[in-house]
Amino acid sequence: MERAKSNLKKGTGHAIESSSVLMDGRGLPPPSGGRNCGGRHTVVKPDEKVWWCHFDDDNYVNVPRLVKLLDDYSPTQDWYLGKPSISSPLEIFLDNTKSSTEVNKKVTFWFATGGAGFCISRALALKMLPIASSGKFVAIGDKIRFPDDVTMGFIVEHILNVPLTVVDAFHSHLEPMEFIRPETFHDQVSFSYARMRNEWNVVKVDGFDLKTDPKRIYSLHCYLYPFFSICPKTIKRR
């Protein structure tokens, strides 16, 4: 299976569990082989970095579908694409800021859960630059006492007043993966997995045996792209 994992990383970058690459608009690593981005996947379009997309290292990213999705949005406009994991906006109290006028002030905003992935357009990223660069992002997260995905939502929705655009094709381990129907796999951008209460929360898909692929990531990859040499011959192209 280690050989299979290596082939997947070098082949397309679609199924990567523990490393990151920069990709062009076709979902292929650049000739240089990409670069590590700290356990996250960073996807770029050809010639210019017009989108920044964050995915956790337990995500499977269907890169061709992601690229097709991004084609529907202009990177010259402010876009914050993702999917929340809560049913209502988050409410927090700003009780840890330097400004006395903001102490105990309640703010409400949506955030895209990092476990499903999210994308920021170039235009929005440039607006974030003076607010979040040079360690300021971490400082804001420390002040509001929330993790990075919530901090992103706080900056984008609360400070910059750019609303989250919900994309249902993003999926995190907080969702029941078994409810994603195989006939819709090609339409999804991201998948995930988790071990919960001694059971795997994974997609239901045929392929490798459970001992070889308990997380079903390689089986999912072969369902979508069965022409790869690592895929079992019994899987037919969808």
Side-chain angles (χ1 to χ4, degrees), residues 133-147:
S133 63
S134 303
K136 296 175 185 176
F137 183 93
V138 174
I140 291 175
D142 289 342
K143 287 180 180 179
I144 66 173
R145 301 175 184 175
F146 278 94

Side-chain angles (χ1 to χ4, degrees), residues 20 27 29 32 53 64 72 74 87 92 94 97-98 124 128 136 143 157 175 180 183 186 198 216 231:
S20 306
S32 62
C53 294
D72 292 335
S74 171
S87 59
I92 67 173
L94 300 180
T97 63
K98 294 181 180 179
L124 179 55
M128 291 177 61
K136 296 175 185 176
K143 287 180 180 179
E157 279 227 352
E175 304 173 45
I180 305 176
E183 61 268 25
H186 282 281
N198 296 321
R216 311 314 289 158
C231 298

Side-chain angles (χ1 to χ4, degrees), residues 58-61 83-85 113-117 167-185 188-196 199-206 214-217 220:
D58 60 355
N59 282 128
Y60 176 94
V61 183
K83 187 177 183 180
S85 59
T113 181
V167 178
D168 288 331
F170 289 83
H171 301 283
S172 79
H173 66 277
L174 299 175
E175 304 173 45
M177 291 290 103
E178 64 179 351
F179 291 160
I180 305 176
R181 301 190 310 276
E183 61 268 25
T184 71
F185 283 173
Q188 311 307 322
V189 170
S190 63
F191 302 80
S192 190
Y193 61 86
R195 182 79 170 174
M196 297 180 175
E199 293 184 1
W200 282 105
N201 176 23
V202 296
V203 293
K204 284 191 173 182
V205 59
D206 294 331
K215 303 167 186 176
R216 311 314 289 158
I217 293 298
L220 172 62

Side-chain angles (χ1 to χ4, degrees), residues 66-134:
L66 173 61
V67 172
K68 184 178 179 181
L69 169 73
L70 296 181
D71 283 340
D72 292 335
Y73 300 89
S74 171
T76 62
Q77 298 177 355
D78 297 338
W79 290 109
Y80 174 34
L81 309 177
K83 187 177 183 180
S85 59
I86 53 179
S87 59
S88 59
L90 181 66
E91 295 183 352
I92 67 173
F93 287 90
L94 300 180
D95 59 354
N96 191 30
T97 63
K98 294 181 180 179
S99 174
S100 59
T101 60
E102 289 189 329
V103 173
N104 294 324
K105 175 185 176 182
K106 184 174 75 171
V107 298
T108 302
F109 60 93
W110 287 101
F111 70 94
T113 181
F118 55 82
C119 293
I120 300 290
S121 65
R122 178 180 177 86
L124 179 55
L126 291 175
K127 287 185 178 179
M128 291 177 61
L129 196 60
I131 300 171
S133 63
S134 303

